[in-house]
Every structure is written in structure tokens, then in C-alpha cells.
Amino acid sequence: MTFDGSAAFIGRLSRWCREQAGELRDVLQQAYDATAAPHSPATLDHRRVLTWPRNQDRHQLWSRAGVGVMHMAVSVADHLRTLGLALEQPDAAPIYTHATIARAAVESAGFQAYLLDASVTPKERFARAMARLLEDGDAARRAAMRVPAMPAMPAPGPAMTAEYQKLCDDMARAMIEIVEGKRGPKAVVVEPGTEPMPILVQASTVVEAAFARLPAVYALLSGTTHAMPWRLADNAQISARYGVWAPDPIDLGASVVAALAAGLLTAEVNRGYRSVDTGARLFELRCRYKAAATPFAGSVCDAWEHPTASRCARGGSTAGSAERRRNRCLRVAETYTPGSRIRT
């Protein structure tokens, strides 16, 4: 599924992803090298932790959760760069893999927005962080228990179980209550008399809240990741006993829009959490996302809401309108160059 100028368009998508990844790394470096502002959510959280009993124990757990958020931020930049590399050669562009890469970036950015949410109280942010920390430890333990011993290494289950138990002991020492369920921990209570914070938070819920401007983005990207035929069929043309599978520039563009949005959200929530000045870099991230998203205003955004509408292989007026939309994508996308304002 190609159209005139598709190679240039895909090359542009590749460049945007790589530039967004580099810009995001710079924003993160600036945000964490600088001291958090006095009234930033980060400073308020630090002060709140110090008001609790066993504050040193709680601070150690809080720092550990903070490192986890930094892992997520680096993961977004890494997936953005990988998507850019995957599209670097337009003639060898992936048919489906781009959606899987974008989904990882979107999910990671969504959880950062959830954990660093400036609209909730410091106590709730702390509770969310402790719940996520415990969920992570329990998931690691469960996975390790299923790996048998091998000639090159012993079974990792006992070591991971001991590490998880140490985490539980650290939480008990910090006076954080773990509410047990039938299959393991189900919630934490960070302060007596408060509502338990559930351990399990659905990724779909987190992503839908964080990416409200991209309706159904998680469902669409997950449909490809989980090999659902309703998504995989978008990149195929089946006629009688023959089939052709090829990358669709519109589909590639949709994944890039989602990944660029993940990079922008990651920069926004980390910079906002620490309330530091990152100069013009955040503006460049926003411009790049807008440059990618604007051409798809009448095509990809429709596909987010009506996935089956993008199946151009069925011919007729749908294929013709898709061709017109693609040509519009090329014309509008060419208006952005690094450092320039977007013309709309």
C-alpha cells in the first residue's frame, strides 16, 4: 500500500521519532539535574514524607519508586528511537511492528502520568507509588518462580522471593500496611483510617486517562500487539486464494503520532513534577507532535474512533478518499522543520 511520495513521508516519520527521542533525553537530563522548585509537587512530596513516622524508611521506599519512574521515562525515549530506526529505510518499513513499539511507549508514559499526577495530594501520590512498587515486586517473584534451574544458573525463584519478602519487611517497618487477597497482595494503606490503594491498576484505564486526545489508542495498538485479526487485516489485501501484506503509511503515521505523544507526555509530567525550566526543548517536542498529528486530522483521528474505517483494501470510495487523505498528509507534514513554528 504505497502512494506518491510515501518514501519521503516515512523518512520524515523516522526523523521525527529520532529527534523526539533526543529532545526527550535532554529534557529529562535538565529536569533531574536541576533542583526541584520550592512549591513543585516533588518538593511537596518530599516534605510530606518527612512528616510521617518512620520517615527515613518511607523515604528509601519513595526513592526506589522514583527510580522506577525514571526507568519508564528512559524506556519511552528508547522506544521512540527504536521506532525511528525501524522506519529509517522506507522500502523495508515494518507491517505491524511499529504498533507494538508505540504501545510500549504509550503505556510507559501513561503510568508516569498516573504516578506523578500533580492534581492529587502528596499522600495519594505516595500511595500510588507504594502500590506500584509492591505490584512490581510480586510480579517479578511470580515470574521467577516459573523459571527452572539450568546448567548455567540456579532457579531464580528463591532469590526473587527473598527480595520480595525484604520489600514487604521494609514496608512493614515503614508502617505501610499490605492488604492481602486470595492470590497475593491487593492493596496498601499508607496512613491509618484511609482508603486502601489497590495494587492492580489496569494499563488500559491509565492510558485512556492520559491520552484522552487520542481516543481508543490503547485498544488499537493492543489489537496489533495481541495479533487480533480485526487489526492485522488493515494491512492486507486478500483476493481469492492470494494475499498481499504491506505497510500502510497511514498506519505507520498513526503509530508515530502515538509515540510522539508519549514522548511529549513524558517530558511534560517529569518537568511539571519538578517545576524546572527546560527552555525551548518542551516547545520543540510539542511542535513535532503537532506537525505529525495535524496531517491526520481527518484520517488517523477518524481511525482511532472507527477502526474498521481504515480498511482501504476493500476498494470503492473508501480507497479513493484514503488516497486523498494521504496526499494531504504529505502536503501538511512538509510544513515542519526543527526549530520552526507550525503553520496551521
Side-chain angles (χ1 to χ4, degrees):
M1 299 181 185
T2 59
F3 60 95
D4 293 342
S6 61
F9 178 63
I10 295 172
R12 194 172 296 114
L13 296 177
S14 170
R15 189 185 75 243
W16 284 343
C17 286
R18 287 178 281 118
E19 289 174 350
Q20 196 85 333
E23 208 88 61
L24 173 58
R25 286 193 294 267
D26 290 341
V27 168
L28 294 172
Q29 186 83 41
Q30 287 180 314
Y32 285 95
D33 280 352
T35 302
H39 300 292
S40 67
T43 301
L44 296 177
D45 287 347
H46 178 70
R47 291 173 182 169
R48 185 67 179 90
V49 169
L50 294 179
T51 65
W52 273 310
R54 306 290 178 87
N55 57 63
Q56 291 302 315
D57 294 320
R58 290 196 172 211
H59 192 272
Q60 289 180 1
L61 290 168
W62 178 245
S63 297
R64 181 171 171 180
V67 172
V69 171
M70 294 176 71
H71 289 328
M72 296 179 201
V74 173
S75 176
V76 173
D78 185 54
H79 281 84
L80 262 169
R81 178 177 175 275
T82 301
L83 183 55
L85 293 175
L87 300 176
E88 201 166 25
Q89 297 181 2
D91 291 341
I95 302 173
Y96 299 120
T97 314
H98 53 87
T100 304
I101 299 172
R103 179 183 182 269
V106 163
E107 186 170 328
S108 185
F111 271 104
Q112 290 174 76
Y114 172 75
L115 293 170
L116 303 182
D117 187 355
S119 68
V120 301
T121 64
K123 182 175 70 175
E124 183 166 348
R125 277 194 296 271
F126 182 81
R128 289 181 180 185
M130 295 303 101
R132 180 70 172 172
L133 200 59
L134 193 61
E135 180 195 5
D136 179 71
D138 186 48
R141 175 186 66 85
R142 290 175 181 273
M145 291 296 292
R146 300 179 64 182
V147 179
M150 301 178 189
M153 70 172 195
M160 291 303 299
T161 299
E163 188 172 327
Y164 172 71
Q165 185 57 52
K166 181 179 183 304
L167 173 62
C168 293
D169 293 343
D170 289 344
M171 287 194 171
R173 189 167 55 252
M175 301 177 67
I176 298 171
E177 179 187 354
I178 299 175
V179 181
E180 294 289 342
K182 292 181 179 180
R183 299 182 179 180
K186 69 174 186 179
V188 295
V189 179
V190 299
E191 196 172 90
T194 60
E195 288 291 321
M197 178 61 66
I199 296 293
L200 183 60
V201 179
Q202 295 292 335
S204 58
T205 303
V206 169
V207 169
E208 287 170 7
F211 291 88
R213 57 191 168 188
L214 296 178
V217 62
Y218 189 76
L220 284 163
L221 296 177
S222 296
T224 303
T225 302
H226 296 301
M228 301 300 291
W230 67 273
R231 281 294 290 136
L232 302 184
D234 284 355
N235 294 77
Q237 290 182 325
I238 308 297
S239 177
R241 297 167 54 193
Y242 300 94
V244 176
W245 285 261
D248 183 348
I250 288 290
D251 206 21
L252 293 172
S255 293
V256 167
V257 168
L260 294 177
L264 173 58
L265 179 63
T266 296
E268 287 176 336
V269 297
N270 282 276
R271 187 211 66 84
Y273 181 66
R274 299 179 62 78
S275 299
V276 298
D277 182 15
T278 56
R281 297 193 183 279
L282 196 60
F283 174 76
E284 290 287 346
L285 286 161
R286 288 173 181 150
C287 284
R288 201 171 289 112
Y289 164 73
K290 186 176 180 181
T294 299
F296 296 100
S299 53
V300 170
C301 291
D302 289 342
W304 292 135
E305 299 175 2
H306 307 290
T308 57
S310 63
R311 296 180 182 173
C312 304
R314 296 179 179 178
S317 60
T318 303
S321 60
E323 185 71 19
R324 289 191 295 273
R325 287 197 299 266
R326 289 168 178 159
N327 290 334
R328 176 172 176 260
C329 287
L330 281 180
R331 289 197 301 272
V332 180
E334 288 170 353
T335 63
Y336 173 79
T337 55
S340 68
R341 289 185 176 273
I342 305 303
R343 298 190 294 273
T344 57

